[in-house]
Amino acid sequence: MVERHRRRPPGGLWPGPGPGPGPGVRRHGGGGVSASTQAGGVVRRVDRSLARAVQRVTAAPLGTYQSAVLRIGVSATYLLFLLRELPHRRELYGPDSPWHWDMARQLISDNEAFTVLMWSDSALWFEVVYAVTLVSAGLLMVGWRTRATSVVFMAGVLSLQNRSIFMGDGGDNVIHLMAIYLVLTRCARVWSLDARREARNAVRVAEGGRPAPDRVGPALWTVLGVVLLPATLMGGLGGTWWLPVLLWILWLGNGAWWALNRLPSAREPRLLLDVLANLAHHAALLVIMAEVCLIYATAGWYKIQGSRWQDGTALYYPLNLDYFTPWPGLSGVFASSALVVMALTYLTVVVQVAFPFTLFNRKVKNVLLVLMIGEHAGIAVILGLPFFSLAMIAADAVFLPTVFLVWLGGRVTSGRRRLFSRADGGTRVPRPRRPGGGDGQEALPPGADPGHTLVG
């Protein structure tokens, strides 16, 4: 039988069986590219992409401005809460609380939560814990010894909230989680006293001098170690395994970092610790973003299932409750319009359900961020829930674009200079921008994309 002639495909490739070469094999003299060469090119491109991704997440922390805003927002929110409840602190968390110490101890023995307030039932110990928590919130807000103060802040938040779990609102849960995650972030790279101190040391080194000796940091971590060791041995860190492990990793890691910085020859171990810190920072930011998306997704989908949200009347009822009407006249204006109530009800559901799906579309994501921040501002004013709203706005800030945060930092710096110049009765010449300086306007870190966050 005579085999039927088949047309040879372009490029010298012979597609099928027969007297010609096998599948995907180039005939000699053709102008095509072999499949093995194409596969090799794809592999090399994938390798280069992976190498760039690994370099990006290990060389330097990303989202430094977003983590700084989160640090400032969370600590400022809890600081304001503690100041507002200062006259009522004993009734909320102290010896005069309806949820008294024996009841709290019985509950904690079951759920194995952590609180240093269970170490003693004395009123003096409670006052010390409350004062330390309040001071640590202020120090974390300004970024003083941020890694150590973030640990103290986390311990204070967990201690107060786990002591009386029935006090507070949804904002307490957000602060509870963010206080844990902030410990793992490098949230003091900008807009902090730590960043200013590092910038001044860099100037000294550039001028041929030596950085200022650090005595406060080692002393602070020594005190924390003195507290951590007996607390671990006596079982005072709760019944969970992750909290002691986390605290000891932080304590040992900071001790190793301090020791290696005193050894000029230990460059590679310092780089390794820096890479591990960057990886922990990025993992914590990723968890924070996932947590915020989970909050909005669950809230939105649960609202969809409610009949009051489906018919557009859900917001009417809290606007007519005395507990949620600090401004009755303002609440009455909104509640009197059925169209406004229905529009706000449906807009709330749409924004919360849609937000997690818009993270990779920068423009739509930014629009929804504005709507959500406006929604929480309205909740703070109209419904009288300021601390819940501030906590959620601080959590939302992790998605803000870097270019906006840099612009905002520049405006704050300019306003501060004008204020101080007026107070001094004279004018000051603005200083030039410095990449890492705390006295100049904030600049983007090297290699950063000014229009993107970690998610677009």
Side-chain angles (χ1 to χ4, degrees):
M1 297 178 64
V2 179
E3 187 177 24
R4 191 175 292 178
H5 292 285
R6 288 177 292 179
R7 180 179 298 176
R8 180 184 301 175
L13 293 178
W14 198 273
V25 180
R26 182 171 59 87
R27 295 175 67 93
H28 294 289
V33 180
S34 66
S36 59
T37 304
Q38 292 178 344
V42 172
V43 171
R44 284 192 295 271
R45 287 195 295 270
V46 172
D47 288 343
R48 286 194 296 267
S49 299
L50 290 176
R52 286 194 298 266
V54 171
Q55 175 71 14
R56 185 170 176 80
V57 299
T58 58
L62 304 175
T64 53
Y65 288 90
Q66 287 77 12
S67 60
V69 172
L70 181 67
R71 165 182 58 84
I72 295 170
V74 170
S75 57
T77 300
Y78 206 63
L79 175 64
L80 294 175
F81 172 78
L82 294 178
L83 291 175
R84 192 196 70 171
E85 301 299 342
L86 191 61
H88 314 291
R89 63 190 184 279
R90 288 173 171 263
E91 290 79 8
L92 288 175
Y93 307 109
D96 300 333
S97 173
W99 188 256
H100 55 78
W101 193 82
D102 292 331
M103 296 172 65
R105 184 176 185 179
Q106 183 178 356
L107 177 63
I108 288 174
S109 65
D110 294 334
N111 61 18
E112 299 182 338
F114 163 76
T115 171
V116 299
L117 291 177
M118 291 295 100
W119 295 358
S120 173
D121 60 349
S122 68
L124 178 60
W125 175 243
F126 164 74
E127 298 291 348
V128 169
V129 172
Y130 196 93
V132 169
T133 306
L134 194 149
V135 172
S136 67
L139 295 177
L140 181 62
M141 181 180 65
V142 299
W144 184 82
R145 307 292 174 176
T146 308
R147 186 71 75 179
T149 54
S150 66
V151 174
V152 179
F153 177 73
M154 178 192 70
V157 170
L158 297 182
S159 297
L160 293 177
Q161 292 187 356
N162 291 336
R163 165 64 177 83
S164 299
I165 61 173
F166 300 107
M167 302 296 177
D169 49 33
D172 291 346
N173 296 329
V174 176
I175 293 177
H176 189 109
L177 294 172
M178 298 305 161
I180 299 174
Y181 301 147
L182 277 175
V183 171
L184 298 174
T185 63
R186 310 188 79 171
C187 56
R189 301 300 292 264
V190 296
W191 297 344
S192 66
L193 297 180
D194 290 346
R196 176 174 294 186
R197 185 176 65 253
E198 290 295 329
R200 290 174 177 173
N201 286 335
V203 171
R204 290 192 181 96
V205 172
E207 293 174 350
R210 296 173 59 87
D214 184 12
R215 298 182 179 90
V216 178
L220 186 58
W221 282 101
T222 300
V223 172
L224 294 179
V226 170
V227 176
L228 181 59
L229 180 60
T232 304
L233 296 177
M234 298 175 64
L237 298 179
T240 59
W241 63 268
W242 64 267
L243 184 61
V245 171
L246 173 63
L247 294 177
W248 277 111
I249 287 177
L250 291 171
W251 193 83
L252 294 174
N254 280 275
W257 180 262
W258 175 81
L260 291 175
N261 281 331
R262 298 173 64 88
L263 299 175
S265 60
R267 183 174 180 272
E268 287 78 10
R270 284 199 305 269
L271 290 177
L272 176 61
L273 288 181
D274 197 51
V275 167
L276 294 177
N278 292 334
L279 291 175
H281 167 84
H282 295 142
L285 279 185
L286 185 62
V287 172
I288 290 171
M289 290 186 289
E291 194 77 45
V292 174
C293 291
L294 183 63
I295 290 173
Y296 283 120
T298 53
W301 286 104
Y302 271 111
K303 286 181 174 67
I304 288 178
Q305 302 174 38
S307 59
R308 296 294 180 264
W309 291 96
Q310 293 174 5
D311 59 27
T313 62
L315 292 184
Y316 174 81
Y317 300 98
L319 290 174
N320 286 276
L321 293 176
D322 293 337
Y323 185 77
F324 294 108
T325 54
W327 314 97
L330 182 60
S331 300
V333 170
F334 285 94
S336 62
S337 175
L339 181 61
V340 172
V341 170
M342 183 180 65
L344 292 177
T345 301
Y346 287 153
L347 181 63
T348 300
V349 175
V350 169
V351 168
Q352 291 182 353
V353 171
F355 178 73
F357 300 100
T358 63
L359 293 183
F360 296 97
N361 190 313
R362 191 177 18 157
K363 294 181 180 179
V364 179
K365 181 255 301 181
N366 292 338
V367 171
L368 290 187
L369 272 177
V370 173
L371 293 177
M372 288 192 301
I373 292 175
E375 172 192 343
H376 290 303
I379 291 174
V381 176
I382 299 174
L383 299 182
L385 298 172
F387 299 111
F388 165 76
S389 299
L390 287 175
M392 289 306 304
I393 291 174
D396 294 341
V398 76
F399 297 103
L400 290 174
T402 304
V403 64
F404 169 75
L405 295 176
V406 173
W407 173 86
L408 182 62
R411 301 288 75 75
V412 171
T413 302
S414 301
R416 183 189 64 185
R417 287 176 178 167
R418 286 195 297 267
L419 180 62
F420 288 159
S421 64
R422 291 176 183 175
D424 295 341
T427 58
R428 294 182 179 181
V429 178
R431 298 180 184 179
R433 295 185 180 185
R434 295 188 307 191
D439 294 331
Q441 294 182 353
E442 299 290 352
L444 288 173
D449 188 349
H452 290 73
T453 62
L454 292 178
V455 294

